[in-house]
Amino acid sequence: MKKSTQILLLVICTIVCFSSCKKDDENNENTSTNNTPVVSSSFPFIQCQNSWVYDLSIDSDTSSLIVTYTIKTIDEEGYCAIEYRTSAGANHNEFVWYSNDVFFCDETGSVESYWFPLLYKSNNTIGRKWDAPVNDDDLGKITREIISVSESVTVPAGIFTNCIKIKQTYASDVQIIDYYYISPLVGIVKKESTGWADIDNQPRIYFPIVQALKSKTF
């Protein structure tokens, strides 16, 4: 793969990896009136100012990118405004996570019909499946399935036990598979993705993307 193509794909995949949908500006104004951060009683990692720093590598490139997610505010509805930064200089403040007493999702929207849970508070049993509420324009229906509840994951930030492993598949392309490793106490500790690109009417190309927790602030 040409270097220029790698750079383009890196930028694209960095933006979409752990992507969150933009929430309406009017909902962003709905913060707690007493300026007290709203803390999820179900997910201990959902707290204001918590940060996650990840190493992101694409196509086994040894020069990984550093990406950081920080919860800036949490409103009374459970929406978390996220600051997203990269070592390449990208900085975005429009990402939103969502959590309630039932589930946490890192991809959300301004209405309930767009919620796509990533982690449930209970009933995290092997074989549990659920679909995204909206199909992807290119890849069709997205399905998540719990395939393990006792993973031990080693990343630069340390060893995390009893992680839940989730397999994410796409109906229109069976070669694209993503794996999430999630600690109920810490959140996402690792993600192994299949990157893809359609270039100049050539056959679709695939490449590995790995995002591993480097450090955290809590």
Side-chain angles (χ1 to χ4, degrees), residues 113-149:
S113 58
Y114 287 96
W115 291 342
F116 187 24
L118 180 63
L119 177 66
Y120 286 91
K121 175 60 179 176
S122 60
N123 298 322
N124 289 304
T125 56
I126 294 175
R128 182 176 185 176
K129 290 184 178 181
W130 61 98
D131 297 328
V134 179
N135 289 349
D136 184 271
D137 291 340
D138 295 307
L139 304 179
K141 182 175 69 174
I142 307 173
T143 300
R144 287 173 172 168
E145 178 184 2
I146 297 175
I147 60 175
S148 175
V149 295

Coordinates of all heavy atoms in Angstrom, one line a residue, residues 113-149:
S113 N -34.0 6.4 19.3 CA -33.9 5.5 18.2 C -32.6 5.3 17.6 O -32.3 4.4 16.8 CB -34.9 6.0 17.1 OG -34.6 7.2 16.6
Y114 N -31.6 6.1 18.0 CA -30.2 6.0 17.5 C -29.3 5.3 18.5 O -28.1 5.1 18.2 CB -29.6 7.3 17.1 CG -30.2 7.9 15.8 CD1 -31.3 8.8 15.8 CD2 -29.7 7.5 14.6 CE1 -31.8 9.2 14.7 CE2 -30.3 8.0 13.4 CZ -31.3 8.8 13.4 OH -31.9 9.3 12.3
W115 N -29.8 5.0 19.7 CA -28.9 4.4 20.7 C -28.5 3.0 20.2 O -29.3 2.1 19.9 CB -29.6 4.3 22.0 CG -29.8 5.6 22.7 CD1 -29.2 6.8 22.4 CD2 -30.8 5.9 23.7 NE1 -29.7 7.8 23.2 CE2 -30.6 7.2 24.0 CE3 -31.7 5.1 24.4 CZ2 -31.4 7.9 25.0 CZ3 -32.5 5.7 25.4 CH2 -32.3 7.1 25.7
F116 N -27.2 2.7 20.3 CA -26.6 1.4 19.9 C -25.7 0.9 21.1 O -24.5 1.3 21.2 CB -25.8 1.5 18.6 CG -25.3 0.2 18.1 CD1 -26.0 -1.0 18.4 CD2 -24.2 0.1 17.2 CE1 -25.6 -2.3 17.9 CE2 -23.8 -1.1 16.7 CZ -24.5 -2.3 17.1
P117 N -26.3 0.2 22.1 CA -25.5 -0.2 23.2 C -24.2 -0.9 22.9 O -24.1 -1.7 22.0 CB -26.5 -1.1 24.0 CG -27.8 -0.7 23.6 CD -27.6 -0.3 22.1
L118 N -23.2 -0.6 23.7 CA -21.9 -1.3 23.6 C -21.7 -2.3 24.8 O -21.2 -3.4 24.7 CB -20.7 -0.4 23.6 CG -19.3 -1.0 23.4 CD1 -19.2 -1.8 22.1 CD2 -18.3 0.1 23.5
L119 N -22.2 -1.8 26.0 CA -22.1 -2.6 27.2 C -23.4 -2.5 28.0 O -23.9 -1.4 28.2 CB -20.9 -2.1 28.0 CG -20.7 -2.8 29.4 CD1 -20.2 -4.3 29.2 CD2 -19.6 -2.0 30.2
Y120 N -23.9 -3.7 28.4 CA -25.0 -3.7 29.3 C -24.6 -3.8 30.8 O -23.6 -4.4 31.1 CB -26.0 -4.9 28.9 CG -26.7 -4.6 27.6 CD1 -26.2 -5.0 26.4 CD2 -27.9 -4.0 27.6 CE1 -26.9 -4.8 25.2 CE2 -28.6 -3.7 26.4 CZ -28.1 -4.2 25.2 OH -28.8 -3.9 24.1
K121 N -25.5 -3.4 31.6 CA -25.2 -3.5 33.1 C -25.3 -4.9 33.5 O -24.6 -5.4 34.4 CB -26.1 -2.5 33.9 CG -26.0 -2.7 35.4 CD -24.6 -2.4 35.8 CE -24.5 -2.5 37.4 NZ -23.1 -2.3 37.8
S122 N -26.3 -5.6 33.0 CA -26.6 -7.0 33.4 C -26.9 -7.9 32.2 O -27.0 -7.4 31.1 CB -27.7 -7.0 34.4 OG -28.9 -6.5 33.8
N123 N -27.0 -9.2 32.5 CA -27.3 -10.1 31.4 C -26.2 -10.2 30.3 O -26.6 -10.4 29.2 CB -28.7 -9.9 30.9 CG -29.8 -10.1 31.9 OD1 -29.7 -10.9 32.7 ND2 -30.8 -9.2 31.8
N124 N -25.0 -9.9 30.7 CA -23.9 -10.0 29.7 C -23.5 -11.5 29.6 O -22.5 -11.9 30.2 CB -22.7 -9.1 30.2 CG -23.0 -7.7 30.0 OD1 -23.4 -7.2 28.9 ND2 -22.9 -6.9 31.1
T125 N -24.3 -12.2 28.9 CA -24.0 -13.7 28.7 C -23.5 -14.0 27.3 O -23.9 -13.3 26.4 CB -25.3 -14.4 29.0 OG1 -26.4 -14.0 28.2 CG2 -25.8 -14.2 30.5
I126 N -22.7 -15.0 27.3 CA -22.2 -15.5 26.0 C -23.4 -15.8 25.0 O -24.3 -16.5 25.4 CB -21.3 -16.7 26.1 CG1 -20.0 -16.2 26.9 CG2 -20.8 -17.2 24.8 CD1 -19.1 -17.4 27.2
G127 N -23.3 -15.3 23.8 CA -24.4 -15.5 22.8 C -25.4 -14.4 22.7 O -26.2 -14.4 21.8
R128 N -25.4 -13.5 23.6 CA -26.3 -12.4 23.5 C -26.0 -11.5 22.3 O -24.9 -11.1 22.1 CB -26.3 -11.5 24.8 CG -27.3 -10.4 24.8 CD -27.3 -9.6 26.0 NE -28.4 -8.6 26.0 CZ -28.7 -7.8 27.1 NH1 -28.0 -7.9 28.2 NH2 -29.7 -7.0 27.0
K129 N -27.0 -11.2 21.5 CA -26.9 -10.5 20.3 C -27.8 -9.3 20.2 O -28.9 -9.4 20.8 CB -27.1 -11.3 19.0 CG -26.1 -12.4 18.7 CD -26.4 -13.1 17.4 CE -25.4 -14.1 17.0 NZ -25.7 -14.8 15.7
W130 N -27.4 -8.2 19.6 CA -28.3 -7.1 19.3 C -27.8 -6.4 18.1 O -26.7 -6.4 17.7 CB -28.4 -6.2 20.5 CG -27.1 -5.5 21.0 CD1 -26.7 -4.3 20.7 CD2 -26.1 -6.1 21.8 NE1 -25.5 -4.0 21.2 CE2 -25.1 -5.1 21.9 CE3 -25.9 -7.4 22.4 CZ2 -23.9 -5.3 22.7 CZ3 -24.8 -7.6 23.1 CH2 -23.8 -6.6 23.2
D131 N -28.8 -5.7 17.4 CA -28.5 -5.0 16.2 C -28.5 -3.5 16.3 O -29.2 -3.0 17.2 CB -29.5 -5.4 15.1 CG -29.5 -6.9 14.7 OD1 -28.4 -7.5 14.8 OD2 -30.5 -7.4 14.4
A132 N -27.8 -2.8 15.5 CA -27.8 -1.4 15.5 C -29.2 -0.9 15.0 O -29.8 -1.6 14.2 CB -26.7 -0.8 14.5
P133 N -29.7 0.2 15.5 CA -31.0 0.7 15.1 C -31.1 1.2 13.7 O -32.2 1.2 13.1 CB -31.3 1.8 16.1 CG -30.0 2.3 16.5 CD -29.1 1.1 16.5
V134 N -30.0 1.5 13.1 CA -29.9 2.0 11.7 C -28.8 1.3 11.0 O -27.7 1.1 11.5 CB -29.6 3.5 11.7 CG1 -29.5 4.1 10.3 CG2 -30.7 4.3 12.5
N135 N -29.1 0.9 9.7 CA -28.1 0.2 8.9 C -27.1 1.1 8.4 O -27.3 2.3 8.2 CB -28.8 -0.5 7.7 CG -29.7 -1.7 8.1 OD1 -29.6 -2.2 9.2 ND2 -30.4 -2.2 7.2
D136 N -25.9 0.6 8.2 CA -24.8 1.4 7.6 C -25.0 1.5 6.1 O -25.4 0.5 5.5 CB -23.4 0.7 7.9 CG -22.3 1.5 7.4 OD1 -21.9 1.3 6.2 OD2 -21.7 2.3 8.1
D137 N -24.7 2.7 5.6 CA -25.0 2.9 4.1 C -24.2 1.9 3.3 O -24.7 1.4 2.2 CB -24.7 4.3 3.7 CG -25.7 5.3 4.3 OD1 -26.8 4.9 4.7 OD2 -25.3 6.5 4.4
D138 N -23.0 1.6 3.7 CA -22.1 0.7 2.9 C -22.1 -0.7 3.3 O -22.0 -1.6 2.5 CB -20.7 1.2 2.9 CG -20.5 2.6 2.2 OD1 -20.9 2.7 1.1 OD2 -20.0 3.5 2.9
L139 N -22.3 -1.0 4.6 CA -22.0 -2.3 5.2 C -23.3 -3.0 5.7 O -23.2 -4.1 6.1 CB -21.0 -2.2 6.3 CG -19.7 -1.6 5.9 CD1 -18.7 -1.6 7.1 CD2 -19.0 -2.4 4.8
G140 N -24.4 -2.3 5.6 CA -25.7 -2.9 6.0 C -25.9 -3.0 7.4 O -25.4 -2.2 8.2
K141 N -26.6 -4.1 7.9 CA -27.0 -4.3 9.3 C -25.7 -4.6 10.1 O -24.9 -5.4 9.7 CB -28.0 -5.4 9.4 CG -28.4 -5.6 10.8 CD -29.5 -6.7 10.9 CE -29.0 -8.1 10.6 NZ -30.0 -9.1 10.8
I142 N -25.6 -3.9 11.2 CA -24.5 -4.1 12.2 C -25.0 -4.9 13.4 O -26.0 -4.5 14.0 CB -23.9 -2.8 12.6 CG1 -23.6 -1.9 11.4 CG2 -22.7 -3.0 13.5 CD1 -23.1 -0.5 11.8
T143 N -24.3 -6.0 13.7 CA -24.7 -6.8 14.8 C -23.6 -7.0 15.8 O -22.4 -7.1 15.4 CB -25.1 -8.2 14.3 OG1 -26.2 -8.1 13.4 CG2 -25.5 -9.1 15.5
R144 N -23.9 -6.9 17.1 CA -22.9 -7.1 18.1 C -23.3 -8.4 18.9 O -24.5 -8.6 19.1 CB -22.9 -5.9 19.1 CG -22.2 -4.7 18.5 CD -22.2 -3.5 19.3 NE -21.4 -2.4 18.8 CZ -21.4 -1.1 19.2 NH1 -22.2 -0.8 20.1 NH2 -20.6 -0.3 18.6
E145 N -22.3 -9.2 19.3 CA -22.5 -10.4 20.0 C -21.5 -10.6 21.0 O -20.3 -10.4 20.8 CB -22.5 -11.6 19.0 CG -22.7 -13.0 19.7 CD -22.5 -14.1 18.7 OE1 -22.3 -13.9 17.5 OE2 -22.7 -15.3 19.2
I146 N -21.9 -11.0 22.2 CA -20.9 -11.3 23.3 C -20.4 -12.7 23.1 O -21.2 -13.7 23.0 CB -21.6 -11.2 24.7 CG1 -22.1 -9.8 24.9 CG2 -20.7 -11.7 25.8 CD1 -22.9 -9.6 26.2
I147 N -19.1 -12.8 23.0 CA -18.5 -14.1 22.7 C -17.6 -14.6 23.9 O -17.1 -15.7 23.9 CB -17.7 -14.1 21.4 CG1 -16.5 -13.1 21.4 CG2 -18.6 -13.9 20.2 CD1 -15.6 -13.2 20.2
S148 N -17.4 -13.7 24.9 CA -16.6 -14.1 26.1 C -16.9 -13.1 27.2 O -17.1 -11.9 26.9 CB -15.1 -14.2 25.8 OG -14.4 -14.5 27.0
V149 N -16.9 -13.6 28.4 CA -17.1 -12.7 29.6 C -15.9 -12.8 30.6 O -16.0 -12.3 31.7 CB -18.4 -13.0 30.3 CG1 -19.6 -12.6 29.3 CG2 -18.5 -14.4 30.7

